[in-house]
């Protein structure tokens, strides 16, 4: 994999996920199989999300995957936004259906239909429901975990008495996403509001967290939408208020998906392969006997003892006693991104020591065996922090605030290409005109990522037309 990450990032990414045994391709275009390690990363994300959802009063439910075509017609912006990506079921049991059924791209319409029956009074509000499900969007260009025709996600759908409560929900969930992505996945993000052209189809306002990959491209890591009363009006979701008058509810929706797995790989991986933050790693520690260990039973006895002690601590540990060479095992577990490797051989045992190697560090260190469990726990904690700090330093280094015009952006792209550097993102002013935003995209392939809540600088002129700016915006190329 020498220099592959820098020279051919897409090939490096595909090689990494395949050598780490995270997924496999299937005969259905754009659909992948999640292998156990890949799915377990998702399970750890689910566990952390679920904990926070439930702490804030949300409950999980499940809704049908098939959605009648007529439901989409009720919200014009929604159907226009998703129509090109929808796969349809037109026949069942050998008979043509009276109405086409879409494989869900998202569930606002089905849930809106049901909420109109479930919600009758202010006493029924708020409704705070999340769904873990698969969704379908028939993508023309696919990339495992990042953009696939079928993917896994969670989608929250809530209903509230008024705008203030719904907007509070919208921001609360965005903050939860930011905390999980930064604290669990060690990925720094910029949080902010989407421009109208990047807004979710049918939303009043969309907010996002945006993450920078090692090739400088952006991944939209999570979104939260304030839907106003649009879907409530379309699906007649009304409640009787305390004054005995009917009012439409205010709704929200919010979601994250398995593209977070791809983001972890792209943010932390290196030339040797996968690097996983300890909190999300399927295997956090691997124990490997070295030297003529089969002739020395005391080595396996000690490793069995360490294995049991780590399990008691709740650490996800594997003991590799296969007949492969130590070098093969080291390489194999590095490719899988296991955070900590412990080696124990005859000489180590004589000295009552073991060798410890962190996945993201170059050197091994000798640790006295009586202190090994404590040292492993410390290393898992410090590595988690170290990966976040490294990723934040990389992002900040490639977030440019000195590009203020389209010509400067073009020059920046030229210079980056000539120097073999990634262009990263730029912070620039925008006047609010969709035409200016579109022209920047057409000329440079840089799209607006979001209008950050806390920009590192304020920009006074539009990057495209030079007029006074209404917003300071992150621009970048994106997946």
């Amino acid at each position: 994999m020498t220099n592959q990450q820098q020279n051919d990032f897409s090939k490096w990414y595909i090689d990494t996920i395949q050598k780490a045994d995270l997924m496999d391709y299937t005969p259905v275009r754009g659909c992948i199989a999640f292998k156990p390690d890949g799915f377990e990363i998702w399970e750890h994300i689910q566990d952390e999300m679920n904990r926070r959802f439930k702490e804030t009063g949300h409950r999980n439910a499940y809704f049908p995957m098939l959605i009648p075509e007529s439901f989409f017609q009720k919200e014009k912006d929604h159907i226009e936004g998703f129509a090109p990506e929808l796969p349809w079921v037109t026949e069942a049991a050998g008979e043509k259906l009276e109405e086409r059924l879409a494989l869900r791209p998202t569930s606002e319409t089905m849930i809106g239909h049901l909420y109109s029956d479930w919600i009758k009074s202010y006493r029924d509000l708020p409704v705070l429901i999340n769904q873990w499900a698969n969704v379908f969007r028939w993508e023309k260009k696919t990339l495992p975990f990042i953009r696939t025709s079928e993917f896994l996600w969670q989608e929250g759908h809530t209903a509230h008495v008024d705008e203030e409560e719904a907007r509070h929900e919208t921001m609360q969930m965005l903050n939860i996403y930011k905390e999980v992505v930064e604290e669990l996945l060690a990925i720094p993000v910029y949080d902010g509001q989407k421009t109208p052209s990047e807004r979710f189809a049918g939303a009043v306002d969309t907010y996002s967290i945006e993450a920078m990959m090692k090739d400088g491209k952006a991944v939209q890591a999570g979104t939260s939408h304030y839907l106003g009363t649009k879907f409530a009006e379309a699906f007649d979701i009304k409640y009787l208020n305390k004054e005995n008058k009917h009012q439409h509810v205010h709704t929200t929706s919010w979601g994250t998906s398995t593209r977070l797995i791809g983001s972890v790989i792209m943010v932390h991986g290196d030339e040797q392969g996968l690097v996983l933050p300890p909190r999300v790693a399927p295997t956090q520690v691997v124990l490997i006997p070295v030297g003529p260990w089969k002739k020395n039973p005391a080595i396996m006895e000690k490793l069995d003892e360490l294995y049991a002690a780590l399990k008691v601590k709740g650490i996800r540990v594997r003991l590799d006693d296969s007949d492969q060479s130590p070098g093969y095992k080291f390489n194999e577990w590095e490719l899988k991104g296991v955070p900590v490797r412990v080696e124990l051989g005859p000489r180590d045992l004589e000295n009552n020591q073991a060798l410890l190697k962190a996945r993201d560090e170059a050197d091994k260190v000798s640790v006295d065996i009586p202190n090994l469990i404590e040292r492993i726990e410390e290393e898992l904690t410090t590595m988690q922090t170290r990966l976040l700090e490294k990723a934040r330093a990389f992002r900040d280094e490639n977030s440019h605030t000195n590009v203020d015009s389209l010509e400067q952006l073009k020059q920046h792209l030229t210079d980056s290409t000539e120097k073999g550097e990634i262009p990263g993102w730029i912070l620039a002013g925008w006047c609010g005109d969709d035409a200016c935003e579109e022209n920047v995209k057409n000329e440079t392939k840089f799209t607006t990522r979001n209008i950050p809540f806390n920009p590192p600088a304020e920009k006074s002129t539009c990057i495209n037309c030079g007029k006074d700016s209404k917003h300071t915006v992150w621009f970048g190329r994106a997946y």
Side-chain angles (χ1 to χ4, degrees), residues 115-251:
Y115 279 10
S116 68
D117 288 332
W118 298 357
I119 298 168
K120 299 301 179 186
S121 161
Y122 68 90
R123 297 183 183 88
D124 299 324
L125 296 169
V127 175
L128 307 174
I129 285 180
N130 175 66
Q131 170 177 233
W132 293 95
N134 61 339
V135 287
F136 297 83
R137 298 177 187 177
W138 212 249
E139 300 285 357
K140 292 180 180 178
K141 295 179 70 175
T142 62
L143 187 65
F145 298 124
I146 293 292
R147 191 169 290 277
T148 50
S149 296
E150 178 194 21
F151 56 93
L152 306 179
W153 79 345
Q154 59 74 212
E155 51 177 321
H157 298 272
T158 69
H160 305 266
V161 294
D162 57 26
E163 178 176 347
E164 181 182 2
E165 187 180 288
R167 284 193 176 276
H168 177 269
E169 167 77 5
T170 305
M171 297 313 301
Q172 173 183 252
M173 303 321 292
L174 188 75
N175 289 334
I176 285 176
Y177 288 159
K178 181 177 182 179
E179 289 170 3
V180 171
V181 172
E182 293 195 335
E183 294 173 16
L184 181 74
L185 306 183
I187 298 175
V189 296
Y190 288 123
D191 51 349
Q193 183 173 357
K194 285 290 194 180
T195 62
S197 71
E198 294 281 334
R199 200 160 50 203
F200 176 72
V204 175
D205 289 309
T206 289
Y207 304 89
S208 73
I209 52 171
E210 304 283 333
M212 184 186 292
M213 306 299 102
K214 274 193 175 174
D215 63 348
K217 287 186 179 179
V219 166
Q220 182 177 278
T223 52
S224 188
H225 318 286
Y226 169 61
L227 305 176
T229 58
K230 284 187 172 187
F231 284 88
E233 291 169 13
F235 289 90
D236 199 31
I237 314 172
K238 293 179 180 177
Y239 71 97
L240 201 63
N241 67 15
K242 293 180 180 180
E243 287 74 44
N244 227 29
K245 294 180 180 179
H246 281 101
Q247 285 188 301
H248 286 107
V249 299
H250 290 250
T251 63

Side-chain angles (χ1 to χ4, degrees), residues 217-443:
K217 287 186 179 179
V219 166
Q220 182 177 278
T223 52
S224 188
H225 318 286
Y226 169 61
L227 305 176
T229 58
K230 284 187 172 187
F231 284 88
E233 291 169 13
F235 289 90
D236 199 31
I237 314 172
K238 293 179 180 177
Y239 71 97
L240 201 63
N241 67 15
K242 293 180 180 180
E243 287 74 44
N244 227 29
K245 294 180 180 179
H246 281 101
Q247 285 188 301
H248 286 107
V249 299
H250 290 250
T251 63
T252 79
S253 68
W254 27 273
T256 55
S257 76
T258 41
R259 64 171 22 204
L260 290 176
I261 299 173
S263 300
V264 169
I265 299 162
M266 288 186 171
V267 168
H268 300 301
D270 62 16
E271 293 290 352
Q272 283 70 50
L274 197 60
V275 177
L276 289 175
R279 289 189 61 193
V280 80
T283 301
Q284 295 172 309
V285 179
V286 62
L287 308 176
I288 299 177
V290 298
W293 58 273
K294 289 185 179 180
K295 298 177 181 178
N296 192 337
I299 292 174
M300 283 306 296
E301 288 172 10
K302 179 56 68 175
L303 288 177
D304 285 336
E305 183 184 314
L306 288 169
Y307 177 87
L310 289 167
K311 292 287 279 188
V312 168
K313 291 280 190 178
I315 292 171
R316 298 185 290 275
V317 58
R318 297 277 294 274
L319 172 54
D320 188 346
D321 58 356
S322 67
D323 60 3
Q324 298 285 1
S325 70
Y328 179 92
K329 293 179 186 180
F330 298 165
N331 183 62
E332 188 75 3
W333 291 107
E334 286 215 341
L335 287 172
K336 289 179 177 291
V338 174
V340 171
R341 182 176 83 228
V342 175
E343 305 166 22
L344 185 66
R347 186 173 298 175
D348 303 312
L349 197 58
E350 283 178 16
N351 296 326
N352 203 26
Q353 290 184 326
L355 290 176
L356 185 149
K357 166 75 167 63
R359 174 62 182 83
D360 66 323
E361 296 280 80
D363 298 326
K364 302 175 186 180
V365 293
S366 293
V367 180
D368 291 339
I369 289 177
N371 302 328
L372 188 57
I373 301 297
E374 182 182 356
R375 181 60 187 272
I376 287 170
E377 289 181 303
E378 289 174 358
E379 187 57 44
L380 292 173
T381 300
T382 56
M383 180 178 172
Q384 183 80 27
T385 303
R386 197 162 60 232
L387 288 178
L388 177 60
E389 289 173 349
K390 284 181 181 177
R392 181 171 282 122
F394 175 86
R395 182 200 65 177
D396 293 350
E397 183 183 341
N398 292 285
S399 297
H400 305 284
T401 60
N402 59 346
V403 177
D404 295 314
S405 69
L406 188 56
E407 290 308 311
Q408 287 179 355
L409 174 54
K410 290 178 179 178
Q411 186 61 51
H412 169 69
L413 294 174
T414 300
D415 293 344
S416 298
T417 301
E418 290 177 353
K419 294 176 183 177
E421 299 173 348
I422 63 169
W425 301 355
I426 64 151
L427 188 72
W430 176 53
C431 64
D433 189 335
D434 290 348
C436 285
E437 180 183 7
E438 184 68 17
N439 192 55
V440 173
K441 177 182 176 180
N442 291 338
E443 293 282 331

